[in-house]
Amino acid sequence: MNVLTQNFQLYGDGFLGTLRLTVYSSLLALALGVVMAGFRVAPVGALRGVGTAWVAVLRNTPLTLLFFAMLLGLPRFGVALPFELFAVLALGCYTSSFICEAVRSGINTVPLGQGEAARSLGMTFGQTLGTVVLPQAFRTVIAPVGSTLIALCKNSAIAGSFSVTELLSTYKTLNENGYSVLWSFVWIALGYLILTLAISALFHFMERRWGAAR
Amino acid sequence: MEPLIELRGVNKHYGTLHVLRDINLTVGRGEVVVVIGPSGSGKSTLCRIINRLETVESGTITLAGRNLPAEGKELARLRAEVGMVFQAFNLFGHKTVLANVMLAPLKVRGQKKDKAQARALDLLERVGLADQAAKYPAQLSGGQQQRVAIARALAMDPEALLFDEPTSALDPEMISEVLEVMRQLAQEGMTMVVVTHEMGFARSAANRVVFMAEGQIVEDRTPEEFFTAPESDRAKDFLSKILKH
């Protein structure tokens, strides 16, 4: 217990770091993921190509490699950003490919005829997607998107290896100070548990509220 | 009669299947044209190319003298002038009946909410469903859903309505309530292209019957002439099969 009480500041900073990474990356992943899902079903071939390439590259690259590419690669092109922002970009882009595929599978559950009906009423592709297709698609993808964001939260631990303050990396300091490894990790695990359970609870609530009526 | 919809030399393939062969068809303003024929004859496709839910490979389609544009905002604008009623109703599942009817006037025409709502309630009254306005499509019977779909198409004040087998997914007793609404529209002078197997409707409401087989228009005549004295063997064969029962 004294591991926690004597290092509350350290744990707190780590927890808040992971929280920040999770929230900002989630927002980026959701925004990019929905846009890319829109691209993948767009009537314009070039947009579909961009969407497909985005998913193919980001979903199939190991996250650590993406971190290296962002943190070491981008500065060579003169893009210098705080490490935390790099981490948010890497996590957000990586996760957006999974969100994109989840949303696309949701789009596929909306009967094609509803899209045709919307178009036959004179609605544009954007209006059809935004007012008819996506609202119904979202209802079916609440659960898989929740799982993806939980995975994002845990994946954020990789950022610790790239000098970003986050929960897992607190063990290094604790270890150097001679604390029990086991208890250090128990409190770290609890921190992740708080975040992931909060995400589950949020998505469970959303599913109860807006989930597809059966 | 002033031509409203004109198809000239229209061809379309699905893979190797030549689904529309050199289609020429003119529908005058206020005319009711019923398209019949065996399944796979291309009649649904004919209906769907008129507002470009399907593309064509050659030929021209004009609406009130204007060429149908290929894509984009211009196409959306012309589509708004031609309403469509589908076999599967295709109501928006997440919106109430009233919201289904109001959606396009709000989004496409940019109407004010109270104006769109008053008009939507008016149309629901006309198809006999004003008391169902707050329900969701899944709570209605097939016949009721199809009547909502007709009201939804009418809300855009279209110049013409296309019906793609509007009663084929309905129980027998619900067919008549939908046909009754369609018959009223025909009497009020709505231009209609109706793909159907309802021969009774064709006889009583159509100005012209178009008979299709294997992607071609085989006969295009008044219902009286077509049903009493079909010219082609294909039409005679078709009629003998369906009129037997």
Side-chain angles (χ1 to χ4, degrees):
Chain A
M1 192 68 189
N2 59 351
V3 188
L4 179 67
T5 46
Q6 287 167 11
N7 299 287
F8 200 76
Q9 180 73 38
L10 184 69
Y11 271 121
D13 285 348
F15 182 82
L16 288 179
T18 295
L19 181 65
R20 271 198 309 276
L21 281 175
T22 304
V23 170
Y24 293 143
S25 308
S26 294
L27 292 177
L28 180 66
L30 287 171
L32 276 172
V34 170
V35 169
M36 288 300 156
F39 277 13
R40 292 207 67 177
V41 298
V44 184
L47 291 182
R48 282 200 302 275
V50 170
T52 309
W54 182 267
V55 170
V57 169
L58 290 166
R59 195 170 58 161
N60 300 318
T61 308
L63 182 55
T64 315
L65 200 66
L66 254 173
F67 266 91
F68 272 119
M70 290 260 181
L71 284 157
L72 305 176
L74 286 183
R76 294 189 175 208
F77 299 99
V79 184
L81 300 169
F83 276 4
E84 198 175 53
L85 191 53
F86 274 124
V88 166
L89 280 176
L91 271 171
C93 290
Y94 174 77
T95 312
S96 75
S97 64
F98 293 90
I99 302 272
C100 167
E101 290 301 271
V103 171
R104 195 168 65 93
S105 79
I107 288 173
N108 289 337
T109 66
V110 181
L112 207 61
Q114 290 191 30
E116 288 185 347
R119 281 188 287 146
S120 79
L121 287 164
M123 289 164 75
T124 60
F125 171 74
Q127 288 174 325
T128 303
L129 196 65
T131 59
V132 173
V133 178
L134 281 181
Q136 296 185 83
F138 282 141
R139 297 170 173 213
T140 62
V141 300
I142 293 172
V145 166
S147 303
T148 308
L149 294 187
I150 286 172
L152 182 153
C153 172
K154 295 184 292 178
N155 285 339
S156 70
I158 291 178
S161 313
F162 296 89
S163 314
V164 177
T165 309
E166 55 79 47
L167 192 52
L168 181 65
S169 53
T170 55
Y171 90 90
K172 286 181 216 155
T173 318
L174 295 171
N175 201 21
E176 279 162 18
N177 294 347
Y179 287 99
S180 145
V181 175
L182 179 68
W183 281 102
S184 307
F185 277 121
V186 166
W187 295 118
I188 287 171
L190 190 73
Y192 279 109
L193 209 57
I194 291 170
L195 288 174
T196 51
L197 286 179
I199 298 174
S200 324
L202 175 68
F203 277 80
H204 189 66
F205 168 78
M206 290 187 356
E207 213 177 341
R208 293 256 304 262
R209 182 87 193 267
W210 293 299
R214 304 250 178 253
Chain B
M1 199 181 313
E2 177 200 351
L4 184 61
I5 302 169
E6 277 189 287
L7 283 69
R8 288 283 160 265
V10 170
N11 278 285
K12 181 174 179 65
H13 287 81
Y14 285 133
T16 54
L17 180 70
H18 200 169
V19 69
L20 293 178
R21 299 169 192 252
D22 281 319
I23 297 288
N24 291 297
L25 180 70
T26 305
V27 180
R29 199 178 283 279
E31 208 174 15
V32 177
V33 173
V34 167
V35 183
I36 61 175
S39 58
S41 60
K43 49 194 196 308
S44 274
T45 310
L46 175 73
C47 197
R48 290 164 60 86
I49 60 162
I50 295 176
N51 66 358
R52 221 171 214 290
L53 285 179
E54 305 278 351
T55 55
V56 298
E57 284 141 19
S58 63
T60 57
I61 304 164
T62 57
L63 288 169
R66 290 166 298 178
N67 259 315
L68 204 63
E71 262 308 329
K73 291 222 155 52
E74 198 57 31
L75 174 64
R77 188 151 48 233
L78 266 185
R79 271 186 182 143
E81 305 297 328
V82 181
M84 179 128 186
V85 177
F86 301 84
Q87 180 176 356
F89 327 131
N90 296 340
L91 294 179
F92 308 133
H94 61 312
K95 298 208 173 275
T96 63
V97 163
L98 183 66
N100 261 276
V101 181
M102 286 167 62
L103 186 65
L106 290 176
K107 294 280 168 193
V108 179
R109 296 264 195 255
Q111 283 182 10
K112 290 271 182 296
K113 195 173 173 234
D114 37 339
K115 189 187 163 202
Q117 183 167 338
R119 169 92 169 117
L121 283 169
D122 230 36
L123 287 165
L124 286 173
E125 181 79 55
R126 206 164 128 190
V127 298
L129 290 170
D131 52 336
Q132 312 285 333
K135 287 195 180 166
Y136 284 87
Q139 296 171 292
L140 303 185
S141 73
Q144 289 173 325
Q145 288 192 51
Q146 194 61 298
R147 284 186 282 152
V148 173
I150 294 173
R152 180 177 67 177
L154 287 173
M156 293 298 284
D157 293 312
E159 300 208 42
L161 275 182
L162 310 171
F163 292 82
D164 184 7
E165 303 205 19
T167 57
S168 298
L170 296 176
D171 289 341
E173 68 261 45
M174 288 167 189
I175 291 177
S176 61
E177 66 187 49
V178 171
L179 290 181
E180 193 43 49
V181 170
M182 289 166 61
R183 209 166 266 135
Q184 261 178 38
L185 286 172
Q187 272 161 18
E188 288 162 18
M190 175 62 77
T191 309
M192 292 161 61
V193 175
V194 184
V195 174
T196 188
H197 296 293
E198 294 299 323
M199 297 303 144
F201 178 80
R203 269 178 194 275
S204 63
N207 301 107
R208 272 160 58 204
V209 171
V210 168
F211 176 75
M212 285 186 75
E214 283 141 28
Q216 283 175 311
I217 293 181
V218 181
E219 298 203 26
D220 179 353
R221 308 163 66 199
T222 66
E224 180 65 24
E225 286 171 345
F226 178 75
F227 285 110
T228 52
E231 278 172 352
S232 61
D233 291 341
R234 199 71 191 78
K236 280 178 198 160
D237 181 49
F238 178 75
L239 285 174
S240 74
K241 276 179 190 149
I242 57 156
L243 295 179
K244 239 185 268 170
H245 49 253

